[in-house]
Amino acid sequence: MTAEMSVLGHSEALGVRPGRLYVGGAWSDASDGAVADQVNPATNEVVTTFAVGSAADVDRAVRSARRAFDEGPWPRLHAGDRKAILQRLVGLIERDGAQLDALQCLENGMPISFSSLPVLSASMAAGIFDHHAGWIDKLCGETYPSYGPSPTGNDVQMMSVREPVGVVAAITPWNAPLMLFAQKAAPALAAGCTIVMKPSELAVLTALRLTELIEEAGIPPGVFNLVPGPGDPTGEALINHPMVDKVTFTGSRAVGRHILSVAGEAASAPEGIWGGGLKRVTLELGGKSPSLIFSDATSVETAGQIAMGMVALGISGQGCVCQTRALVERSVYDTFIEAALSLAGSVVQGDPFDPATTAGPIISARQLAKVVGYIEGADAAGARRLCGGERPGGALAQGNFVTPALFADVDNAMTVAREEVFGPVLVAIPFDDESDAVRIANDSDYGLGAGVYTASIGRGFRVARALRAGTVGINDYTVMPNAPFGGYKTSGLGREGGWAGIEAFTELKTIVVGLGD
Ligand code: NAD
């Protein structure tokens, strides 16, 4: 490692230019000329700038999406035609996959070795668009027989049809930008909705490039609009806009709660024909997910490495699904700790574009201070820190790095076991038996994911059924485009992926046909 580290050469090689707004099929600056910096967190260098959408820009974008929905071709296209356009987009994402993976590395510091992993890469985004394109010609309703005579005394034939929900406001975080862009845009576009997307102000590069590909694929003007900017004013203007029918949000619980309350407020557009409030909402929020490691696991060592790896490698614990509480049966606790420590010791932090780098920085100096605060708080509360929690020196001091921390003998009531740290911090909690493990696992306000490590099929299923979490992995864990993903409890509302994901972008209309004269 040299004393200096720079990612600016990659920015140039990737052709990065200042980002602009994409509204109504045209690129423009912000109405008030405002711009913000896109910073790479591994070096804290300014990679480029991007236009920050004002409330006026958001209004222009929503009106453009509204027009495209009410009058444009997109919701009215033949299923086969809409499908062909989305499949063209899949091909373009695959064509530019390596560039998109590198842009993701440049925008949020994710090591290139992780940015190109199937679950986080452009290939995952392409898979999500491909999966949802497949639903377009299968968005069917049902028919129902007359349950009895109607008030006119006649029989009726009833049927349901699926229609797009309307104008969608999509708001994403910075930690898995390629995948999360697709999780929002793919089902909305497939269902026939129009969109105004606001990516995180901390990572805009892949959103800008994917928008160019959406344009290249031939999606009509106004159907997809991109308005980068911070939560306030850009996000606020979007979630409060009366012409928005649905908000789909991935991010923190605090912002999710706020969106839910705003979505329920009465709201009328000046024209008086839209809104009334009560926007539809999908929320993908945070987690404090447990992994439960039983003494009969095929390999406690492997389970220990996976548990530590989830917080120490790649995006350094800044993933909603990271299993940050390791609940370990007492008889194998020492073996687990040894394996977790050995994984933590093998982590290579460094230049995100170096293929040998295995762990990236914390996204911002502000988030780094928060992570360090949690670590110091855990020390003060009496948790035993076995490794990590240090700021590395040399070239790494330039970025927002912190070494992965393992806390042993943690009480589940401690703050570090209850709150989402969003950094490389694993807490280990011993348990006595299966019911003890399930009780501790469920003793959380969150319920996003969980892992169970056991060689017993019966125990694996039994525990998976008992856990209050949206996804439970038995001896493995992943996210795939065709399976639902989402949270129990305060981890969210609704699901993305699979049928549940696209269904959430539709309204179900019942049509009653009188069979009398
Ligand atoms: P965040 O809530 O701070 O920001 C998320 C997005 O919301 C950003 O685009 C931000 O600009 C916007 N925003 C902030 N305030 C807003 C407001 N008042 N109105 C409208 N928009 C607003 O979250 P973050 O720090 O970007 O991301 C980390 C969080 O995301 C973690 O809690 C993590 O668990 C969660 N997350 C969840 C999933 C999931 O699928 N469940 C996936 C990834 C991340």
Side-chain angles (χ1 to χ4, degrees), residues 283-301:
L283 301 174
E284 294 287 350
L285 309 177
K288 193 72 197 178
S289 300
S291 44
L292 289 69
I293 295 115
F294 289 93
S295 58
D296 65 358
T298 310
S299 168
V300 173
E301 286 84 356

Side-chain angles (χ1 to χ4, degrees), residues 50-341:
F50 61 91
V52 171
S54 63
D57 293 318
V58 168
D59 183 56
R60 203 161 57 85
V62 174
R63 282 172 188 276
S64 159
R66 186 81 253 169
R67 262 193 312 280
F69 185 78
D70 293 338
E71 299 157 24
W74 189 250
R76 295 161 191 87
L77 279 184
H78 286 137
D81 294 337
R82 200 153 74 222
K83 187 172 176 177
I85 295 177
L86 281 197
Q87 284 172 336
R88 204 178 308 146
L89 177 60
V90 171
L92 296 176
I93 296 172
E94 285 168 346
R95 181 196 70 190
D96 292 350
Q99 182 200 27
L100 287 162
D101 293 349
L103 286 171
Q104 181 166 249
C105 175
L106 190 60
E107 66 187 344
N108 77 359
M110 181 190 299
I112 195 68
S113 54
F114 274 72
S115 190
S116 47
L117 277 183
V119 75
L120 294 169
S121 65
S123 68
M124 178 65 160
I128 292 169
F129 275 102
D130 184 52
H131 169 74
H132 286 95
W135 279 117
I136 296 176
D137 55 12
K138 300 168 192 73
L139 286 170
C140 303
E142 295 173 328
T143 59
Y144 317 94
S146 216
Y147 188 81
S150 78
T152 64
N154 292 313
D155 278 354
V156 293
Q157 174 67 55
M158 300 176 80
M159 69 187 81
S160 60
V161 292
R162 293 236 164 238
E163 298 182 343
V165 73
V167 173
V168 172
I171 300 178
T172 54
W174 47 267
N175 63 340
L178 282 171
M179 176 200 184
L180 295 172
F181 182 107
Q183 285 285 51
K184 306 270 175 262
L189 289 173
C193 299
T194 60
I195 308 172
V196 179
M197 162 104 57
K198 192 205 81 62
S200 168
E201 64 276 28
L202 300 174
V204 298
L205 301 182
T206 50
L208 287 161
R209 184 69 193 120
L210 284 167
T211 302
E212 288 173 352
L213 297 183
I214 281 175
E215 190 179 24
E216 189 179 342
I219 290 175
V223 172
F224 183 88
N225 305 273
L226 187 80
V227 186
D232 195 8
T234 319
E236 281 291 337
L238 192 50
I239 61 173
N240 279 285
H241 202 292
M243 289 184 178
V244 165
D245 294 298
K246 173 173 174 119
V247 182
T248 175
F249 170 78
T250 298
S252 62
R253 183 170 64 179
V255 176
R257 279 191 203 282
H258 172 63
I259 287 174
L260 195 55
S261 71
V262 168
E265 282 170 16
S268 294
E271 292 83 345
I273 49 171
W274 292 113
L278 218 66
K279 297 177 173 69
R280 281 78 182 112
V281 176
T282 297
L283 301 174
E284 294 287 350
L285 309 177
K288 193 72 197 178
S289 300
S291 44
L292 289 69
I293 295 115
F294 289 93
S295 58
D296 65 358
T298 310
S299 168
V300 173
E301 286 84 356
T302 305
Q305 292 187 345
I306 293 174
M308 194 69 214
M310 273 206 201
V311 304
L313 299 174
I315 48 179
S316 291
Q318 301 166 99
C320 56
V321 293
C322 292
Q323 290 161 15
T324 52
R325 288 186 297 150
L327 316 185
V328 190
E329 192 158 357
R330 226 173 267 283
S331 59
V332 293
Y333 188 73
D334 291 343
T335 312
F336 171 87
I337 294 286
E338 210 174 299
L341 279 174

